[in-house]
């Protein structure tokens, strides 16, 4: 009997972690008791309990608390990170005043196009709402004539941010405090697609009309070497999200896109596969072998391609004796990309050799 798949465990976002730390700090100030855990209401209405990692009074009007971010079974660079909040009671005439800022390890937005304007801490509206709601919950039970200042901090934020795309988005000095609902859905692709879309928003806000879409860091680096005059914001890593990236480019009215890819991804793109991680290698190579036969009429070469382990394995014999097959793949990938943009975006496709040179370029004279 086939075992049912194990249910993957959900987690909570950096925004929910910040809200929990803020609530713990305020609870300590209002009650004098150090909480071992706090209840947080996600923006979906679901309530969860989050364990408090550290919590202490700094002085009579200030507490500093933190929690450990738990991303569940989602692969997340912030899983296990300490997320904290320093909560200060401020004697102000407006007792409802709540101020939320970023401290050490929280990035600062430096480019337009994101939800948060330049010059502000990279704390999006979801976390702001969760922090504010958590504070109001406590104040309803323990009213106090004071303003509340919450400074979010992430002790390892600057180091962890180097493993993210924050710098590309113009978020400098630390992590973003994120979360539309507070819940991390395991194995969700939403965060990656959101990063692609935000990167495009930044590019659009800086006045760009052309993008270079690479599937990973290496292909992006080769593209940057090939077109050094282009702005950094032009280059966007799309991972496996072929269809989503092209649809996002069309929605933001970019006039043109260059696909800067290696052969394996290009072959999947040429087969109109929306998410290029999903294709099975044997089916990809069967199609590539058929195209090889159609383009060359060389059955022996087609058999070699069909027997290859991977598309990369097939690349060398094609480059050596059948470059038109690679060009055919590039043209088909270009047309499929245009199709995913509802033919609203002009597309060029460059397939890189593994040494960084351009093996095929569908429009070498295109600016």
């Amino acid at each position: 009997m086939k075992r049912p798949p194990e249910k993957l465990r959900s987690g909570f976002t950096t925004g929910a972690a910040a809200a929990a730390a803020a609530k713990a700090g305020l609870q300590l100030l209002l009650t004098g008791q150090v909480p071992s855990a706090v209840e947080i209401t996600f923006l979906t209405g679901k309530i969860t309990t989050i364990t408090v990692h550290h919590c202490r009074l700094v002085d009579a009007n200030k507490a500093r608390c933190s929690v450990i971010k738990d991303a569940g079974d989602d692969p997340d660079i912030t899983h296990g990170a300490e997320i904290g909040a320093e909560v200060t009671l401020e004697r102000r005439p407006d007792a409802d005043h709540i101020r939320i800022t970023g401290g050490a390890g929280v990035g600062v937005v430096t480019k337009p196009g994101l939800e948060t304007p330049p010059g502000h801490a990279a704390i999006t509206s979801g976390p702001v709402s969760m922090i504010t709601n958590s504070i109001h919950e406590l104040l309803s039970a323990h009213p106090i004539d004071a303003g509340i200042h919450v400074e979010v901090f992430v002790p390892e934020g600057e180091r962890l941010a180097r493993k993210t795309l924050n710098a590309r988005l113009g978020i400098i000095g630390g992590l973003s405090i994120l979360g539309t609902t507070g819940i991390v859905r395991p194995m969700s692709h939403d965060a990656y697609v959101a990063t692609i879309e935000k990167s495009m928003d930044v590019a659009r806000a800086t006045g760009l009309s052309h993008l270079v879409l690479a599937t990973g860091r290496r292909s992006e680096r080769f593209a940057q070497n090939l077109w050094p005059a282009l702005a950094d914001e032009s280059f966007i890593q799309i991972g496996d999200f072929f269809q989503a990236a092209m649809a996002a480019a069309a929605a933001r009215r970019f006039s043109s896109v260059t696909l800067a890819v290696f052969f394996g991804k290009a072959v999947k793109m040429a087969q109109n596969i929306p998410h290029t991680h999903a294709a099975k290698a044997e089916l990809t190579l069967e199609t590539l072998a058929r195209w090889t036969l159609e383009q060359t009429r060389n059955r022996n070469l087609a058999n070699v391609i069909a027997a290859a382990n991977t598309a990369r394995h097939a690349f060398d014999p094609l480059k050596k004796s059948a470059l038109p097959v690679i060009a055919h793949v590039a043209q088909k990938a270009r047309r499929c990309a245009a199709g995913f943009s509802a033919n609203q975006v002009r597309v060029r496709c460059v397939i890189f050799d593994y040494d960084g040179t351009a093996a095929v370029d569908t429009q070498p004279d295109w600016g």
Side-chain angles (χ1 to χ4, degrees):
M1 179 183 291
K2 190 174 183 179
R3 293 181 60 188
E6 293 183 12
K7 185 176 180 179
L8 295 176
R9 188 172 60 88
S10 294
F12 54 87
T13 63
T14 50
K23 187 171 185 178
L26 184 57
Q27 187 170 321
L28 174 57
L29 289 170
L30 297 178
T31 68
Q33 300 297 313
V34 176
S36 59
V38 292
E39 284 191 344
I40 292 297
T41 303
F42 293 134
L43 296 182
T44 60
K46 180 182 177 182
I47 298 174
T48 192
T49 300
I50 296 178
T51 301
V52 176
H53 179 56
H54 287 306
C55 198
R56 64 180 178 86
L57 283 175
V58 177
D59 57 42
N61 293 313
K62 183 179 294 186
R64 187 176 177 89
C65 302
S66 66
V67 305
I68 300 301
K69 160 75 182 296
D70 180 0
D73 289 326
D74 193 61
D76 186 323
I77 197 67
T78 60
H79 177 70
E82 183 180 6
I83 311 290
E86 188 168 87
V87 182
T88 305
L89 300 181
E90 298 180 319
R91 299 299 172 181
R92 293 171 175 268
D94 181 1
D96 291 331
H97 181 80
I98 298 172
R99 200 159 57 93
I100 301 170
T101 61
V106 175
V108 175
V109 177
T110 64
K111 295 179 181 179
L114 298 177
E115 176 186 338
T116 306
H120 290 73
I123 305 174
T124 60
S125 59
V128 168
S129 294
M130 279 188 287
I131 292 170
T132 303
N133 293 345
S134 297
I135 289 172
H136 282 309
E137 285 177 14
L138 281 174
L139 292 179
S140 65
H142 306 277
I144 187 170
D145 184 18
I148 311 294
H149 175 207
V150 176
E151 183 181 88
V152 180
F153 64 88
V154 185
E156 291 291 311
E158 190 167 1
R159 179 183 65 82
L160 291 171
R162 298 191 194 106
K163 301 179 181 180
T164 73
L165 295 176
N166 273 13
R168 179 66 50 78
L169 295 173
I171 299 170
I172 304 302
L175 291 173
S176 305
I177 305 301
L178 303 170
T180 54
T181 65
I183 303 171
V184 173
R185 303 290 184 188
M187 306 307 291
S188 169
H189 298 311
D190 292 349
Y192 202 113
V193 173
T195 299
I196 293 170
E197 293 172 344
K198 289 176 182 177
S199 298
M200 290 186 183
D201 289 339
V202 169
R204 206 74 183 97
T206 58
L208 300 177
S209 61
H210 174 73
L211 298 173
V212 179
L213 304 184
T215 54
R217 182 66 192 102
R218 191 178 179 202
S219 54
E220 181 186 61
R221 187 172 70 250
F222 288 164
Q224 289 170 326
N225 291 340
L226 192 58
W227 299 294
L230 293 182
D232 286 344
E233 294 84 0
S234 302
F235 299 91
I236 295 176
Q237 292 181 37
I238 66 169
D240 296 312
F241 298 94
F242 181 32
Q243 180 182 43
M246 290 307 306
R252 287 154 181 77
R253 300 185 181 278
F254 284 95
S255 60
S256 57
V257 156
T258 295
L259 297 176
V261 296
F262 291 115
F263 189 56
K265 290 294 185 186
V267 171
K268 293 176 182 179
M269 290 175 170
Q271 293 181 65
N272 211 38
I273 295 171
H275 185 264
T276 55
H277 183 68
K280 292 185 177 180
E282 60 268 23
L283 298 179
T284 301
L285 291 168
E286 284 177 13
T287 303
L288 181 59
R290 175 167 54 80
W291 289 341
T292 300
L293 183 59
E294 291 171 353
Q295 293 294 312
T296 67
R297 302 299 177 187
N298 185 333
R299 188 166 296 279
N300 288 335
L301 180 59
N303 290 338
V304 168
I305 301 307
N309 292 324
T310 62
R312 175 170 181 168
H313 187 203
F315 178 79
D316 288 338
L318 290 174
K319 181 187 173 188
K320 182 177 180 180
S321 60
L323 199 60
V325 176
I326 300 175
H328 178 72
V329 168
Q331 289 290 358
K332 288 185 74 69
R334 182 188 65 78
R335 288 193 291 270
C336 291
F340 283 141
S341 77
N343 294 311
Q344 299 299 304
V345 180
R346 290 191 305 140
V347 181
R348 170 185 186 178
C349 181
V350 174
I351 297 178
F352 286 112
D353 198 340
Y354 295 93
D355 63 1
T357 58
V360 164
D361 185 344
T362 59
Q363 291 169 284
D365 299 323
W366 193 25

